[in-house]
Amino acid sequence: LQRHCFLAATGLPPMFRHVPPAASLCRIFAMAQVRRCKVHFQHSSSEEFVCSYFDAMCEDLQVSARDFEGLYTLTEVLPSVYSVHTDSRLVLGSTFLRFQEYYECPNPEIRHHAFEFNQFKTWYVQKNRGGFDYYLQWPGFNIPSWVLDDARAGKLGSPLRPQEDAFLRAVPADAKYVIGSCEKDLQTLQHELAHGLYGTNENYREAVAQSLAKLPPRRWEASRRVLLDLGYVDDKVILEDEMQAYMIEGQCLYEEDEIECPTTGRVRDEIY
């Protein structure tokens, strides 16, 4: 591998040309799981191993912002809402991590504060049994424009990682909301589009609030607990935003063994 081709090894099959060593590792671990083979490594999980390998590769090759620039495709999917697409979840996750966690991290020392990548990584590993698997944990991301404004003003912390720098250069200054997804994951794209609409369309946001107000209190609290268990911050606005986005996917955020609630189904249908 060389720096100029770290994400485009033309000698490999098409499916492995994006982040070749990490993509190959993912494939090896997937095959091992199917064949019930044991893989031994000094990490908490195969996902952590892949994420750590990707970071080490980028550091060793001294990958620059310019190297990342061609990996993003931006499309204005709604008025002033831009969708960032990349073929690799490793690129997507490592790009959005600090922006997303600055916006809604459940750790009050990180949310809305300047922080370094390693600071977040240390906290994440302490709370996550799977180790640092962040890049492969979340298939999509969403951030309002004020997060980008803060990042451009240096409030996110410095220095920016190469992928963060490339991302900020790529996003238009007039963007009001940015979402991110990869591969051909239409369900994730639909979920993130719901965030973009909720964050930029007041009429939609008010209609969602009216629908969610019809949920029985016990159901709202159950959905809240599910979201908190998934790692979301305990913020009413963000929780309601997530509830409507999951309902757009067709999910009602039931707890395990919870009996289905007809009212919740009707609220989901209203939002959808």
Side-chain angles (χ1 to χ4, degrees), residues 46-63:
S46 58
E47 290 82 4
E48 181 186 39
F49 184 81
V50 171
C51 293
S52 299
Y53 193 95
F54 174 78
D55 283 337
M57 179 189 68
C58 290
E59 182 176 353
D60 289 346
L61 296 176
Q62 297 183 333
V63 178

Side-chain angles (χ1 to χ4, degrees), residues 9 12-20 22-24 26-27 87:
L12 291 172
M15 65 183 298
F16 290 149
R17 288 178 188 170
H18 298 282
V19 199
S24 300
C26 289
R27 182 61 176 167
D87 289 331

Side-chain angles (χ1 to χ4, degrees), residues 238-251:
I238 289 178
L239 291 177
E240 290 197 345
D241 186 8
E242 290 298 339
M243 287 179 190
Q244 65 88 23
Y246 276 103
M247 286 182 173
I248 288 292
E249 283 188 41
Q251 299 188 43

Side-chain angles (χ1 to χ4, degrees), residues 87-225:
D87 289 331
S88 168
R89 286 186 63 177
L90 294 164
V91 172
L92 183 75
S94 65
T95 297
F96 272 87
L97 184 153
R98 282 212 298 171
F99 301 104
Q100 191 71 56
E101 299 308 318
Y102 181 85
Y103 172 43
E104 59 178 8
C105 183
N107 183 344
E109 296 182 1
I110 289 177
R111 187 185 183 210
H112 299 177
H113 289 83
F115 65 95
E116 295 183 356
F117 166 71
N118 286 331
Q119 178 186 352
F120 174 82
K121 185 175 180 178
T122 298
W123 169 78
Y124 185 92
V125 170
Q126 289 174 347
K127 76 177 186 64
N128 183 39
R129 292 182 180 179
F132 185 71
D133 58 0
Y134 186 96
Y135 305 156
L136 300 175
Q137 181 69 23
W138 301 102
F141 298 88
N142 63 95
I143 49 175
S145 61
W146 65 263
V147 173
L148 300 176
D149 294 339
D150 280 7
R152 292 186 176 110
K155 295 181 180 180
L156 197 66
S158 60
L160 292 175
R161 303 174 79 194
Q163 53 268 61
E164 295 169 346
D165 189 10
F167 172 74
L168 283 179
R169 293 182 190 181
V171 176
D174 64 346
K176 293 182 179 179
Y177 212 93
V178 179
I179 62 175
S181 63
C182 66
E183 302 167 348
K184 295 181 180 179
D185 189 346
L186 295 180
Q187 186 179 48
T188 296
L189 179 59
Q190 191 176 38
H191 179 108
E192 303 306 336
L193 280 170
H195 283 308
L197 189 60
Y198 185 88
T200 60
N201 189 305
E202 185 176 354
N203 291 334
Y204 176 76
R205 192 163 53 247
E206 290 177 356
V208 165
Q210 291 174 8
S211 294
L212 290 177
K214 299 175 184 177
L215 288 174
R218 61 179 180 80
R219 262 278 58 238
W220 199 98
E221 282 300 317
S223 295
R224 169 181 168 273
R225 288 192 295 269

